[in-house]
Amino acid sequence: MELCTFKKAWPLTVDCCPCDVHFIQYLEERNLVGKSIFHFGTGEHHLVGKNNYERGNPNEVLALTACREEHDIYIDYIVRNPLAANYYKVLFGDIHTLSPRLLPAFDLVTLFHLCETWDEQVAEYARLDGAEIVSLFLSKLNPGGRIFFFPQSHGYSGDNTDAGDIVRNFLSNNEMAVEEEYESLLICRTPF
Ligand SMILES: C[S@@+](CC[C@H](N)C(=O)[O-])C[C@H]1O[C@@H](n2cnc3c(N)ncnc32)[C@H](O)[C@@H]1O
């Protein structure tokens, strides 16, 4: 058994994967400051963390990658830019192994790549499946918090455990509500 990881780092490809670009645009347009952000999927570009630093660190970001190369790029980045390290942290791991007890509360959570890597091998070791990941982060949302999904993700279409079905189930069971659609992103909140 082996942890699911990405051998190749993901470059910024706005045509097919504009989620990070739209997310930083949203943060800037809404002038959001002082927010704690969980960001699922850094890419090798680390756009969310780097943009935050370049804008004077208005928010704090905890991000996750399952790619060793992307994590190495993060390490090089903060070694050269230690001021950025105060506001941008990147964990290496599979999101399906996150522990509720080890996570703080967040104001904004991106789950852009939900279900992209779920398969039988991951199911063998995973602590959480896709629906449990959504539940976990809903339970970790601060009042007024938001969860961001990316319906163009390939995890959004597939078998019955895909992200689209999971999101629709949470919405129809009134466990989550749609706040708005913003560019390519679907923004949800708790229903109360
Ligand atoms: C397709 S890339 C997109 C990166 C970036 N969000 C963008 O839009 O350019 C997917 C990212 O999510 C991360 N990722 C995908 N599945 C993951 C998982 N199960 N656990 C942790 N990270 C994962 C990958 O390591 C990678 O950083």
Side-chain angles (χ1 to χ4, degrees), residues 23 26 36-38 40 95 106-114 130-142 144-151 156 166-167 170-171 175-182 185-191:
F23 184 60
Y26 173 90
S36 56
I37 298 171
F38 178 85
F40 176 17
I95 195 164
F106 296 98
D107 300 304
L108 307 174
V109 171
T110 74
L111 292 182
F112 296 155
H113 307 296
L114 188 67
E132 289 166 329
I133 290 168
V134 176
S135 277
L136 163 63
F137 282 103
L138 277 170
S139 76
K140 295 287 179 187
L141 276 188
N142 285 327
R146 302 284 182 261
I147 300 190
F148 295 67
F149 298 96
F150 178 48
Y156 231 78
I166 290 170
V167 168
F170 273 85
L171 294 173
E175 294 170 277
M176 191 166 73
V178 172
E179 176 69 19
E180 65 175 301
E181 287 175 33
Y182 177 87
L185 310 179
L186 176 69
I187 307 177
C188 295
R189 56 174 170 80
T190 51

Side-chain angles (χ1 to χ4, degrees), residues 31-190:
N31 200 20
L32 294 175
V33 297
K35 303 296 182 194
S36 56
I37 298 171
F38 178 85
H39 178 50
F40 176 17
T42 64
E44 68 173 15
H45 45 80
H46 292 275
L47 183 66
V48 172
K50 286 184 177 176
N51 176 265
N52 189 56
Y53 176 56
E54 282 152 19
R55 294 197 303 118
N57 288 321
N59 298 299
E60 303 204 28
V61 182
L62 175 65
L64 179 66
T65 179
C67 174
R68 187 191 294 264
E69 195 183 338
E70 292 177 6
H71 197 250
D72 286 346
I73 290 169
Y74 166 72
I75 293 170
D76 289 342
Y77 175 64
I78 58 162
V79 168
R80 292 198 192 103
N81 299 278
L83 288 173
N86 290 310
Y87 296 87
Y88 184 46
K89 308 269 192 272
V90 177
L91 288 175
F92 173 83
D94 182 346
I95 195 164
H96 303 99
T97 65
L98 287 179
S99 159
R101 295 175 67 196
L102 295 182
L103 282 179
F106 296 98
D107 300 304
L108 307 174
V109 171
T110 74
L111 292 182
F112 296 155
H113 307 296
L114 188 67
C115 295
E116 285 183 4
T117 59
W118 180 258
D119 62 18
E120 282 169 13
Q121 273 111 42
V122 173
E124 275 186 52
Y125 65 75
R127 180 197 285 260
L128 305 170
D129 63 18
E132 289 166 329
I133 290 168
V134 176
S135 277
L136 163 63
F137 282 103
L138 277 170
S139 76
K140 295 287 179 187
L141 276 188
N142 285 327
R146 302 284 182 261
I147 300 190
F148 295 67
F149 298 96
F150 178 48
Q152 288 173 28
S153 150
H154 66 81
Y156 231 78
S157 56
D159 58 24
N160 286 337
T161 59
D162 81 347
D165 282 341
I166 290 170
V167 168
R168 283 185 287 277
N169 281 340
F170 273 85
L171 294 173
S172 61
N173 294 336
N174 274 333
E175 294 170 277
M176 191 166 73
V178 172
E179 176 69 19
E180 65 175 301
E181 287 175 33
Y182 177 87
E183 298 287 353
S184 64
L185 310 179
L186 176 69
I187 307 177
C188 295
R189 56 174 170 80
T190 51

